[in-house]
C-alpha cells in the first residue's frame, strides 16, 4: 500500500502536469492515458502471464452442515472483512473529523465559497486524493488476497468503475491545474 501511494503521488505530482504541458488534454484523458501506459509498462517489465501467490490461510469455519452440504466462512474472508471495516472507519474519520476532510467537503460543495472562508482553494487542492491513494492500495491488497492471482490488466475494470462513480458523483466540480 505504501509503494502504491508513493507511485501514485509521484504520478500526480510530476507525471500528470508534465503530460498536460506536452499534450493539451482534459485531466480525465490524461488519467486514462497514464493508466494504459502503466498497464503496458507492467506487461513489458513483468511479462503477460498471471502471477499467483500462495494462499495466506486455507482453513474455514463450518457454520452449519446438513445433508452433506456445509455453510462455511473462510478465515481469509474474515480477514478481508475486518481490514475493509478498519479502512472504512479510518477513511470515515479522515473525511468527517479532520481539517483535510472539512476542506475537501467544502471544496466539493462550493470551491469559491471555500476559498472565501480560508480553505486553500487552488485547483489542485480541490480534489484531495491522498486518502484515495491508500484506498486503492488497500483495495488492491484485498483483491490479491481474495483471488490470489494478479496480472497487468487487473486495475482496468476497477478503474473504469471508479471513473464512472467519480463522474456520477460530480468530478466536474473540481478542476485540475
Amino acid at each position: 500500500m505504501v509503494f502504491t501511494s508513493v507511485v501514485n503521488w509521484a504520478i500526480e505530482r510530476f507525471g500528470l502536469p508534465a503530460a498536460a504541458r506536452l499534450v493539451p488534454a482534459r485531466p480525465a484523458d490524461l488519467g486514462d492515458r497514464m493508466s494504459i501506459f502503466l498497464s503496458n509498462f507492467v506487461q513489458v517489465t513483468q511479462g503477460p502471464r498471471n502471477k499467483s501467490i500462495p494462499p495466506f490461510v486455507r482453513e474455514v469455519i463450518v457454520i452449519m452442515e446438513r445433508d452433506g452440504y456445509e455453510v462455511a466462512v473462510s478465515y481469509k474472508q474474515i480477514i478481508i472483512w475486518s481490514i475493509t471495516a478498519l479502512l472504512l472507519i479510518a477513511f470515515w474519520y479522515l473525511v468527517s473529523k479532520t481539517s483535510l476532510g472539512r476542506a475537501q467537503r467544502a471544496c466539493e460543495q462550493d470551491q469559491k465559497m471555500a476559498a472565501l472562508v480560508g480553505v486553500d482553494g487552488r485547483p489542485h487542492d480541490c480534489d484531495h486524493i491522498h486518502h484515495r491513494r491508500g484506498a486503492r492500495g488497500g483495495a488492491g491488497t484485498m483483491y490479491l488476497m481474495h483471488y490470489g492471482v494478479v496480472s497487468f490488466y487487473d486495475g482496468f475494470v476497477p478503474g473504469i468503475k471508479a471513473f464512472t462513480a467519480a463522474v456520477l458523483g460530480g468530478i466536474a466540480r473540481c478542476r485540475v491545474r
Side-chain angles (χ1 to χ4, degrees), residues 10-174:
I11 289 170
E12 177 196 1
R13 190 73 174 165
F14 304 112
L16 291 180
R21 284 190 299 273
L22 294 174
V23 179
R26 295 180 314 189
D29 292 339
L30 290 174
D32 291 343
R33 292 173 187 177
M34 185 60 72
S35 174
I36 291 168
F37 168 77
L38 289 173
S39 293
N40 288 316
F41 177 77
V42 170
Q43 182 182 12
V44 168
T45 59
Q46 301 293 319
R49 295 181 187 254
N50 292 347
K51 309 277 191 241
S52 62
I53 62 167
F56 292 110
V57 289
R58 295 177 192 252
E59 295 81 25
V60 297
I61 300 171
V62 177
I63 298 172
M64 69 181 246
E65 184 177 353
R66 181 182 290 169
D67 299 328
Y69 295 102
E70 294 179 345
V71 176
V73 176
S74 71
Y75 285 110
K76 176 174 63 174
Q77 289 173 315
I78 293 171
I79 292 168
I80 291 172
W81 293 339
S82 301
I83 293 173
T84 301
L86 288 173
L87 287 173
L88 286 173
I89 290 168
F91 293 133
W92 168 82
Y93 180 81
L94 179 74
V95 170
S96 64
K97 303 291 184 187
T98 65
S99 59
L100 173 66
R102 281 191 298 276
Q104 181 180 6
R105 290 193 320 267
C107 281
E108 287 173 0
Q109 289 178 7
D110 188 346
Q111 188 175 357
K112 288 180 184 176
M113 183 56 77
L116 288 174
V117 296
V119 174
D120 189 1
R122 292 178 296 182
H124 69 280
D125 288 337
C126 180
D127 191 19
H128 294 287
I129 64 168
H130 306 295
H131 60 278
R132 293 182 190 145
R133 285 189 204 111
R136 276 188 238 135
T141 304
M142 298 303 108
Y143 180 89
L144 179 61
M145 181 185 250
H146 180 71
Y147 291 107
V149 176
V150 66
S151 68
F152 66 93
Y153 61 86
D154 278 343
F156 183 74
V157 172
I160 294 296
K161 290 178 181 179
F163 177 72
T164 303
V167 168
L168 293 175
I171 195 172
R173 286 183 273 183
C174 291

